[in-house]
């Protein structure tokens, strides 16, 4: 299941998701923010931040895994209540 879409995140939520993963360069963080918060297309976000497209795609895939884990925890918490 896909949890992260263009323009779907707040900057605060993106920062929290990034804090759960491995260290990410500032350029990649900016490209992720442009794509997931501001709603800029993936290719344009990569270009604007001087990031190779495959690197941004790789970072998005890693972040998607993290977002999936967060959603599983939320589902579990909801069932327990």
């Amino acid at each position: 299941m896909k949890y992260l879409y263009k323009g779907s995140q707040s900057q605060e939520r993106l920062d929290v998701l990034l804090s759960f993963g491995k260290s990410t360069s500032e350029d990649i963080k900016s490209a992720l923010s442009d794509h997931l918060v501001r709603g800029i297309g993936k290719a344009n976000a990569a270009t604007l931040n001087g990031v190779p497209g495959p690197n941004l795609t790789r970072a998005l895939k890693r972040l998607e895994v993290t977002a999936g884990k967060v959603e599983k925890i939320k589902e579990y918490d909801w069932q327990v209540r």
Side-chain angles (χ1 to χ4, degrees):
M1 182 170 195
K2 190 166 171 141
Y3 301 99
L4 304 174
Y5 298 95
K6 179 173 80 167
S8 67
Q9 305 299 301
S10 68
Q11 186 62 52
E12 293 80 14
R13 189 169 199 279
L14 177 59
D15 291 341
V16 171
L17 287 172
L18 287 169
S19 75
F20 292 131
K22 14 190 252 193
S23 176
T24 305
S25 74
E26 290 304 314
D27 291 344
I28 292 286
K29 287 179 185 178
S30 295
L32 288 168
S33 179
D34 284 346
H35 180 61
L36 295 172
V37 177
R38 296 180 61 205
I40 296 173
K42 191 168 38 171
N44 287 337
T47 301
L48 284 171
N49 292 284
V51 173
N55 291 9
L56 179 56
T57 299
R58 193 175 317 114
L60 280 165
K61 286 180 181 178
R62 280 196 325 257
L63 201 59
E64 189 70 46
V65 170
T66 302
K69 290 176 182 178
V70 168
E71 291 302 318
K72 283 183 183 180
I73 290 169
K74 287 169 50 178
E75 287 175 21
Y76 172 78
D77 286 346
W78 182 254
Q79 292 173 359
V80 172
R81 291 183 181 189

